[in-house]
Amino acid sequence: MFKFLIGVIIFGLIALAIIILVIINFTYKSFRQMRKVAEDQFELNQKRKEQKGKNPFGDDYFKSSDDPQTQQKRRQRAQQGAEQKTARRTTTSSGVTIIDERETDKKIFSHDDGEYVEFEEVHD
């Protein structure tokens, strides 16, 4: 009976040790993975800082140098140009609508383009 009790205790201690080792192993792998993610994020941030520091143009390079009044005038001219355009609508026999918003006198092809020529259609 005494040997049986000692055997059960030893078996329990071995099982407990195995469970503890599995938990420690799982925790260690989790910490390693979190550390790798943190290091990767740190490297990415460092690269971004280096690229930002290498900007030869400066932070304000792409900002507009116009004052607000000039920008307002530019917007008004664009709106007036949009209002002056006339749209021509053509509906095909299959029901497709084509909207042409080009200027009325503007040609699609230049005159020196040899592949396209002007012609008149003659009905017999």
Side-chain angles (χ1 to χ4, degrees):
M1 172 86 171
F2 183 69
K3 288 182 180 182
F4 177 73
L5 189 60
I6 291 178
V8 170
I9 292 174
I10 291 176
F11 180 74
L13 289 175
I14 291 173
L16 185 63
I18 291 173
I19 292 172
I20 290 173
L21 288 174
V22 169
I23 291 172
I24 290 173
N25 188 23
F26 178 74
T27 306
Y28 176 71
K29 285 183 179 179
S30 297
F31 279 126
R32 271 192 12 210
Q33 186 177 10
M34 287 190 317
R35 182 175 177 168
K36 185 176 182 334
V37 169
E39 287 175 352
D40 291 345
Q41 187 66 33
F42 179 75
E43 287 180 29
L44 182 64
N45 287 339
Q46 287 298 104
K47 287 180 183 178
R48 285 181 183 164
K49 286 179 184 178
E50 288 174 11
Q51 290 297 325
K52 197 173 190 180
K54 290 180 183 178
N55 184 3
F57 302 111
D59 293 335
D60 296 335
Y61 181 75
F62 293 106
K63 290 184 181 176
S64 175
S65 61
D66 294 338
D67 60 344
Q69 291 176 344
T70 307
Q71 290 176 358
Q72 182 66 24
K73 289 178 185 176
R74 189 172 291 151
R75 278 191 221 109
Q76 288 174 349
R77 276 189 249 131
Q79 287 175 351
Q80 288 173 354
E83 291 171 359
Q84 290 176 355
K85 285 186 178 180
T86 58
R88 290 172 289 187
R89 293 176 181 257
T90 305
T91 305
T92 63
S93 60
S94 62
V96 176
T97 302
I98 301 170
I99 302 172
D100 186 6
E101 295 181 340
R102 292 177 290 146
E103 297 174 10
T104 55
D105 296 334
K106 189 172 183 179
K107 299 283 184 186
I108 297 175
F109 305 106
S110 64
H111 289 289
D112 61 346
D113 194 353
E115 193 171 331
Y116 303 97
V117 295
E118 292 185 23
F119 67 94
E120 288 185 23
E121 198 170 319
V122 179
H123 297 311
D124 290 327

